[in-house]
Amino acid sequence: MNNYYYIIASLPELTTGWKFGDKDAEWFISEIKERCSDKDIRLIEWIERGFEPENLTEEFYAEAVAHPSAFIREYYTFDLNVRNAKVRYLNKALSRPAEKDVINIPVPEFEDAARMDAILQNKDILERERAIDDLYWDKLDSLSELHYFDMNVILAFIVKLHIIDRWHLLDEQTGREMFKKLVDEIRGTFRGVRYDG
């Protein structure tokens, strides 16, 4: 059985002295996996599948939204809703059929649809992308809320690393700010939380 407290406690230590262009998300993830059980490595590898564009098929999402892990189910339901909203917005802008290229599988109603629609109205590409990633960040926070020392925190951390990696390429300063925010969040996990393990 994993001792999640010590795995999560090691996350800020892993980030110490990290510099952009030195270590990427994959390096951090490999270090985290070394501390995890085989079962939890399989969950990490499942999350990782969604960061390969060729995997983002109807079959992938159908499997994801039925996954035994609540985190994976909810995260990929959210991800599908965001991606479908972007496709529908693009279809409207290009006067294409509304459902062209939309992945239609049964999922709960998109609670952030109005916020996503407002974000898509922004004509500044970087601002729009940052707002979408802020939406993802907020969702990840909600999925790990009250999960101080379990796998949800680790999976959320990994997805946030991927977001930061993307911003390293798009806008380094934003990436640096997001990385600092992530480290502060993990450190904050230990403030005011008593561990009885």
Side-chain angles (χ1 to χ4, degrees), residues 18-29 51 133 137 158-172 174-176 178-179 182:
W18 182 75
K19 296 179 181 179
F20 278 82
D22 179 20
K23 297 181 178 71
D24 60 10
E26 292 307 317
W27 182 89
F28 287 111
I29 292 163
F51 293 94
D133 281 339
W137 201 285
I158 286 169
V159 177
K160 287 177 179 181
L161 282 174
H162 278 286
I163 293 172
I164 292 164
D165 246 15
R166 192 167 84 93
W167 280 96
H168 172 220
L169 299 175
L170 291 174
D171 181 74
E172 183 173 333
T174 299
R176 288 181 184 278
M178 295 176 91
F179 186 76
L182 178 57

CSV table of all heavy atoms in Angstrom, one decimal, residues 18-29 51 133 137 158-172 174-176 178-179 182:
chain,number,residue,atom,x,y,z
A,18,TRP,N,14.3,23.7,-9.8
A,18,TRP,CA,13.9,23.4,-11.2
A,18,TRP,C,13.9,24.7,-12.1
A,18,TRP,O,13.5,25.7,-11.6
A,18,TRP,CB,12.5,22.8,-11.3
A,18,TRP,CG,12.0,22.4,-12.6
A,18,TRP,CD1,12.4,21.4,-13.4
A,18,TRP,CD2,11.0,23.1,-13.4
A,18,TRP,NE1,11.7,21.3,-14.6
A,18,TRP,CE2,10.9,22.4,-14.6
A,18,TRP,CE3,10.3,24.3,-13.2
A,18,TRP,CZ2,10.0,22.8,-15.6
A,18,TRP,CZ3,9.4,24.7,-14.2
A,18,TRP,CH2,9.3,23.9,-15.4
A,19,LYS,N,14.4,24.5,-13.3
A,19,LYS,CA,14.5,25.7,-14.2
A,19,LYS,C,13.8,25.3,-15.5
A,19,LYS,O,13.9,24.1,-16.0
A,19,LYS,CB,15.9,26.1,-14.5
A,19,LYS,CG,16.7,26.6,-13.3
A,19,LYS,CD,18.1,27.0,-13.6
A,19,LYS,CE,18.8,27.5,-12.4
A,19,LYS,NZ,20.2,27.8,-12.7
A,20,PHE,N,13.1,26.3,-16.1
A,20,PHE,CA,12.5,26.0,-17.4
A,20,PHE,C,13.5,25.5,-18.4
A,20,PHE,O,14.6,26.1,-18.5
A,20,PHE,CB,11.8,27.2,-17.9
A,20,PHE,CG,10.4,27.4,-17.3
A,20,PHE,CD1,10.3,28.0,-16.1
A,20,PHE,CD2,9.3,27.0,-17.9
A,20,PHE,CE1,9.1,28.1,-15.5
A,20,PHE,CE2,8.1,27.1,-17.4
A,20,PHE,CZ,7.9,27.7,-16.1
A,21,GLY,N,13.2,24.5,-19.2
A,21,GLY,CA,14.1,23.9,-20.1
A,21,GLY,C,15.1,22.9,-19.6
A,21,GLY,O,15.8,22.2,-20.3
A,22,ASP,N,15.1,22.8,-18.2
A,22,ASP,CA,15.9,21.8,-17.6
A,22,ASP,C,15.2,20.5,-17.4
A,22,ASP,O,15.6,19.5,-17.9
A,22,ASP,CB,16.4,22.4,-16.2
A,22,ASP,CG,17.3,21.4,-15.5
A,22,ASP,OD1,17.9,20.6,-16.1
A,22,ASP,OD2,17.5,21.6,-14.3
A,23,LYS,N,14.1,20.5,-16.6
A,23,LYS,CA,13.3,19.3,-16.4
A,23,LYS,C,11.9,19.6,-16.8
A,23,LYS,O,11.3,20.6,-16.5
A,23,LYS,CB,13.4,18.9,-14.9
A,23,LYS,CG,14.8,18.6,-14.4
A,23,LYS,CD,14.7,18.2,-12.9
A,23,LYS,CE,16.1,17.8,-12.4
A,23,LYS,NZ,17.0,18.9,-12.3
A,24,ASP,N,11.3,18.6,-17.5
A,24,ASP,CA,9.9,18.8,-18.0
A,24,ASP,C,9.0,17.9,-17.2
A,24,ASP,O,9.4,17.2,-16.3
A,24,ASP,CB,9.8,18.5,-19.5
A,24,ASP,CG,10.3,17.1,-19.9
A,24,ASP,OD1,10.5,16.3,-18.9
A,24,ASP,OD2,10.4,16.8,-21.1
A,25,ALA,N,7.7,18.0,-17.6
A,25,ALA,CA,6.7,17.2,-16.9
A,25,ALA,C,7.1,15.7,-16.8
A,25,ALA,O,6.9,15.0,-15.8
A,25,ALA,CB,5.3,17.4,-17.5
A,26,GLU,N,7.6,15.2,-17.9
A,26,GLU,CA,7.9,13.8,-18.0
A,26,GLU,C,9.0,13.4,-16.9
A,26,GLU,O,8.9,12.3,-16.4
A,26,GLU,CB,8.4,13.4,-19.4
A,26,GLU,CG,7.3,13.5,-20.5
A,26,GLU,CD,6.1,12.7,-20.1
A,26,GLU,OE1,6.2,11.5,-19.6
A,26,GLU,OE2,5.0,13.2,-20.3
A,27,TRP,N,9.9,14.3,-16.7
A,27,TRP,CA,10.9,14.0,-15.7
A,27,TRP,C,10.3,13.9,-14.3
A,27,TRP,O,10.5,12.9,-13.5
A,27,TRP,CB,12.0,15.1,-15.6
A,27,TRP,CG,13.1,14.8,-14.6
A,27,TRP,CD1,14.2,14.1,-14.9
A,27,TRP,CD2,13.1,15.2,-13.3
A,27,TRP,NE1,15.0,14.0,-13.7
A,27,TRP,CE2,14.3,14.7,-12.7
A,27,TRP,CE3,12.3,15.9,-12.5
A,27,TRP,CZ2,14.7,14.9,-11.4
A,27,TRP,CZ3,12.6,16.1,-11.1
A,27,TRP,CH2,13.8,15.6,-10.6
A,28,PHE,N,9.4,14.8,-14.0
A,28,PHE,CA,8.7,14.8,-12.7
A,28,PHE,C,7.9,13.6,-12.5
A,28,PHE,O,7.8,12.9,-11.5
A,28,PHE,CB,7.9,16.1,-12.5
A,28,PHE,CG,8.6,17.3,-12.2
A,28,PHE,CD1,8.7,18.3,-13.2
A,28,PHE,CD2,9.3,17.5,-11.1
A,28,PHE,CE1,9.4,19.5,-13.0
A,28,PHE,CE2,10.0,18.7,-10.8
A,28,PHE,CZ,10.1,19.7,-11.8
A,29,ILE,N,7.2,13.2,-13.6
A,29,ILE,CA,6.3,12.1,-13.6
A,29,ILE,C,7.0,10.8,-13.3
A,29,ILE,O,6.6,9.9,-12.6
A,29,ILE,CB,5.4,12.1,-14.8
A,29,ILE,CG1,4.4,13.3,-14.8
A,29,ILE,CG2,4.6,10.8,-14.9
A,29,ILE,CD1,3.8,13.6,-16.2
A,51,PHE,N,-2.8,13.0,-23.1
A,51,PHE,CA,-1.9,14.1,-23.6
A,51,PHE,C,-1.2,13.7,-24.9
A,51,PHE,O,-0.3,14.4,-25.3
A,51,PHE,CB,-0.9,14.4,-22.5
A,51,PHE,CG,-1.6,15.1,-21.3
A,51,PHE,CD1,-1.9,14.3,-20.2
A,51,PHE,CD2,-1.9,16.4,-21.3
A,51,PHE,CE1,-2.6,14.9,-19.1
A,51,PHE,CE2,-2.5,17.0,-20.2
A,51,PHE,CZ,-2.9,16.2,-19.1
A,133,ASP,N,-7.1,27.2,-19.6
A,133,ASP,CA,-6.2,26.5,-18.6
A,133,ASP,C,-6.6,26.8,-17.2
A,133,ASP,O,-6.5,26.0,-16.3
A,133,ASP,CB,-4.8,26.7,-18.9
A,133,ASP,CG,-4.3,25.8,-20.1
A,133,ASP,OD1,-5.0,24.8,-20.4
A,133,ASP,OD2,-3.3,26.1,-20.7
A,137,TRP,N,-7.6,24.3,-14.3
A,137,TRP,CA,-6.9,24.3,-13.0
A,137,TRP,C,-8.0,24.3,-11.9
A,137,TRP,O,-7.8,23.6,-10.9
A,137,TRP,CB,-6.0,25.6,-12.9
A,137,TRP,CG,-5.0,25.5,-11.9
A,137,TRP,CD1,-5.1,25.7,-10.5
A,137,TRP,CD2,-3.6,25.4,-12.1
A,137,TRP,NE1,-3.9,25.6,-9.9
A,137,TRP,CE2,-2.9,25.4,-10.8
A,137,TRP,CE3,-2.8,25.2,-13.2
A,137,TRP,CZ2,-1.5,25.3,-10.7
A,137,TRP,CZ3,-1.4,25.1,-13.1
A,137,TRP,CH2,-0.8,25.1,-11.9
A,158,ILE,N,0.0,16.0,-11.6
A,158,ILE,CA,0.5,15.6,-12.9
A,158,ILE,C,-0.1,16.3,-14.1
A,158,ILE,O,0.5,16.8,-15.0
A,158,ILE,CB,0.4,14.1,-13.1
A,158,ILE,CG1,1.4,13.4,-12.2
A,158,ILE,CG2,0.5,13.6,-14.5
A,158,ILE,CD1,1.2,11.9,-12.0
A,159,VAL,N,-1.4,16.5,-14.0
A,159,VAL,CA,-2.1,17.2,-15.1
A,159,VAL,C,-1.7,18.7,-15.1
A,159,VAL,O,-1.5,19.3,-16.1
A,159,VAL,CB,-3.7,17.1,-14.9
A,159,VAL,CG1,-4.4,18.0,-16.0
A,159,VAL,CG2,-4.1,15.7,-15.0
A,160,LYS,N,-1.5,19.3,-13.9
A,160,LYS,CA,-1.1,20.7,-13.8
A,160,LYS,C,0.4,20.8,-14.4
A,160,LYS,O,0.7,21.8,-15.0
A,160,LYS,CB,-1.1,21.2,-12.4
A,160,LYS,CG,-2.6,21.4,-11.9
A,160,LYS,CD,-2.6,21.8,-10.4
A,160,LYS,CE,-4.0,22.1,-10.0
A,160,LYS,NZ,-4.1,22.5,-8.6
A,161,LEU,N,1.2,19.8,-14.2
A,161,LEU,CA,2.5,19.8,-14.8
A,161,LEU,C,2.5,19.9,-16.3
A,161,LEU,O,3.2,20.6,-16.9
A,161,LEU,CB,3.3,18.6,-14.4
A,161,LEU,CG,3.9,18.6,-13.0
A,161,LEU,CD1,4.6,17.2,-12.7
A,161,LEU,CD2,5.0,19.7,-12.8
A,162,HIS,N,1.5,19.2,-16.9
A,162,HIS,CA,1.3,19.2,-18.3
A,162,HIS,C,0.9,20.6,-18.8
A,162,HIS,O,1.3,21.1,-19.8
A,162,HIS,CB,0.4,18.1,-18.8
A,162,HIS,CG,1.0,16.8,-18.9
A,162,HIS,ND1,1.8,16.4,-19.9
A,162,HIS,CD2,0.9,15.7,-18.1
A,162,HIS,CE1,2.2,15.2,-19.8
A,162,HIS,NE2,1.6,14.7,-18.7
A,163,ILE,N,0.0,21.2,-18.0
A,163,ILE,CA,-0.4,22.6,-18.3
A,163,ILE,C,0.8,23.5,-18.3
A,163,ILE,O,1.0,24.4,-19.2
A,163,ILE,CB,-1.5,23.1,-17.4
A,163,ILE,CG1,-2.8,22.2,-17.6
A,163,ILE,CG2,-1.8,24.6,-17.6
A,163,ILE,CD1,-3.9,22.5,-16.5
A,164,ILE,N,1.6,23.4,-17.3
A,164,ILE,CA,2.8,24.3,-17.2
A,164,ILE,C,3.8,24.0,-18.3
A,164,ILE,O,4.3,25.0,-18.9
A,164,ILE,CB,3.5,24.0,-15.8
A,164,ILE,CG1,2.6,24.5,-14.7
A,164,ILE,CG2,4.8,24.7,-15.7
A,164,ILE,CD1,2.9,24.0,-13.3
A,165,ASP,N,3.9,22.8,-18.7
A,165,ASP,CA,4.8,22.4,-19.8
A,165,ASP,C,4.4,23.1,-21.1
A,165,ASP,O,5.2,23.6,-21.8
A,165,ASP,CB,4.8,20.9,-20.0
A,165,ASP,CG,6.1,20.2,-19.8
A,165,ASP,OD1,7.0,20.9,-19.1
A,165,ASP,OD2,6.3,19.1,-20.2
A,166,ARG,N,3.1,23.2,-21.3
A,166,ARG,CA,2.5,23.8,-22.5
A,166,ARG,C,2.8,25.3,-22.5
A,166,ARG,O,3.2,25.9,-23.5
A,166,ARG,CB,1.0,23.6,-22.6
A,166,ARG,CG,0.4,24.0,-23.9
A,166,ARG,CD,-1.0,23.4,-24.0
A,166,ARG,NE,-2.0,24.2,-23.4
A,166,ARG,CZ,-2.7,25.2,-24.0
A,166,ARG,NH1,-2.5,25.4,-25.3
A,166,ARG,NH2,-3.6,25.9,-23.3
A,167,TRP,N,2.7,25.9,-21.3
A,167,TRP,CA,3.0,27.3,-21.2
A,167,TRP,C,4.5,27.7,-21.3
A,167,TRP,O,4.8,28.8,-21.6
A,167,TRP,CB,2.3,27.9,-19.9
A,167,TRP,CG,0.9,28.1,-20.2
A,167,TRP,CD1,-0.2,27.3,-19.9
A,167,TRP,CD2,0.3,29.2,-20.9
A,167,TRP,NE1,-1.3,27.8,-20.4
A,167,TRP,CE2,-1.1,29.0,-21.0
A,167,TRP,CE3,0.9,30.4,-21.5
A,167,TRP,CZ2,-1.9,29.9,-21.6
A,167,TRP,CZ3,0.0,31.3,-22.1
A,167,TRP,CH2,-1.4,31.1,-22.2
A,168,HIS,N,5.3,26.7,-21.0
A,168,HIS,CA,6.7,26.9,-21.2
A,168,HIS,C,7.0,27.3,-22.7
A,168,HIS,O,7.8,28.1,-23.0
A,168,HIS,CB,7.5,25.7,-20.8
A,168,HIS,CG,9.0,25.7,-21.2
A,168,HIS,ND1,9.6,24.6,-21.6
A,168,HIS,CD2,9.9,26.8,-21.2
A,168,HIS,CE1,10.9,25.0,-21.9
A,168,HIS,NE2,11.1,26.2,-21.6
A,169,LEU,N,6.2,26.6,-23.5
A,169,LEU,CA,6.3,26.8,-25.0
A,169,LEU,C,5.6,28.1,-25.4
A,169,LEU,O,6.0,28.8,-26.3
A,169,LEU,CB,5.8,25.6,-25.8
A,169,LEU,CG,6.6,24.3,-25.5
A,169,LEU,CD1,5.9,23.1,-26.2
A,169,LEU,CD2,8.0,24.4,-25.9
A,170,LEU,N,4.4,28.3,-24.8
A,170,LEU,CA,3.6,29.4,-25.3
A,170,LEU,C,4.1,30.8,-24.8
A,170,LEU,O,4.1,31.8,-25.5
A,170,LEU,CB,2.1,29.2,-24.9
A,170,LEU,CG,1.4,28.1,-25.5
A,170,LEU,CD1,0.0,27.9,-24.9
A,170,LEU,CD2,1.2,28.4,-27.0
A,171,ASP,N,4.4,30.8,-23.5
A,171,ASP,CA,4.8,32.1,-22.8
A,171,ASP,C,5.5,31.7,-21.5
A,171,ASP,O,4.9,31.3,-20.5
A,171,ASP,CB,3.5,32.9,-22.5
A,171,ASP,CG,3.9,34.2,-21.9
A,171,ASP,OD1,4.4,35.1,-22.6
A,171,ASP,OD2,3.7,34.4,-20.6
A,172,GLU,N,6.8,31.8,-21.5
A,172,GLU,CA,7.6,31.3,-20.4
A,172,GLU,C,7.3,32.0,-19.1
A,172,GLU,O,7.2,31.3,-18.1
A,172,GLU,CB,9.1,31.5,-20.7
A,172,GLU,CG,10.0,31.0,-19.6
A,172,GLU,CD,11.5,31.0,-20.0
A,172,GLU,OE1,11.8,31.0,-21.2
A,172,GLU,OE2,12.3,31.1,-19.0
A,174,THR,N,4.4,33.2,-18.1
A,174,THR,CA,3.2,32.6,-17.5
A,174,THR,C,3.5,31.2,-17.0
A,174,THR,O,3.0,30.8,-15.9
A,174,THR,CB,2.1,32.5,-18.6
A,174,THR,OG1,1.8,33.8,-19.1
A,174,THR,CG2,0.9,31.8,-18.1
A,175,GLY,N,4.3,30.4,-17.7
A,175,GLY,CA,4.7,29.1,-17.2
A,175,GLY,C,5.4,29.2,-15.8
A,175,GLY,O,5.1,28.4,-14.9
A,176,ARG,N,6.3,30.1,-15.7
A,176,ARG,CA,7.0,30.3,-14.4
A,176,ARG,C,6.0,30.6,-13.3
A,176,ARG,O,6.0,30.1,-12.2
A,176,ARG,CB,8.0,31.4,-14.5
A,176,ARG,CG,9.2,31.0,-15.3
A,176,ARG,CD,10.2,32.2,-15.3
A,176,ARG,NE,11.3,31.9,-16.2
A,176,ARG,CZ,12.4,31.2,-15.8
A,176,ARG,NH1,12.4,30.7,-14.6
A,176,ARG,NH2,13.4,30.9,-16.6
A,178,MET,N,2.8,29.9,-13.1
A,178,MET,CA,1.9,28.8,-12.8
A,178,MET,C,2.7,27.7,-12.1
A,178,MET,O,2.1,27.1,-11.2
A,178,MET,CB,1.4,28.2,-14.2
A,178,MET,CG,0.5,29.1,-14.9
A,178,MET,SD,-0.1,28.5,-16.5
A,178,MET,CE,-1.6,27.6,-16.0
A,179,PHE,N,4.0,27.6,-12.4
A,179,PHE,CA,4.8,26.6,-11.6
A,179,PHE,C,4.9,27.0,-10.2
A,179,PHE,O,4.8,26.2,-9.2
A,179,PHE,CB,6.2,26.4,-12.3
A,179,PHE,CG,7.0,25.4,-11.7
A,179,PHE,CD1,6.7,24.0,-11.9
A,179,PHE,CD2,8.0,25.7,-10.8
A,179,PHE,CE1,7.5,23.0,-11.3
A,179,PHE,CE2,8.8,24.7,-10.2
A,179,PHE,CZ,8.5,23.3,-10.5
A,182,LEU,N,1.8,26.2,-8.4
A,182,LEU,CA,1.7,24.8,-8.1
A,182,LEU,C,2.5,24.4,-6.9
A,182,LEU,O,2.0,23.7,-6.0
A,182,LEU,CB,2.1,24.0,-9.3
A,182,LEU,CG,2.0,22.4,-9.2
A,182,LEU,CD1,0.7,22.0,-8.8
A,182,LEU,CD2,2.5,21.8,-10.5
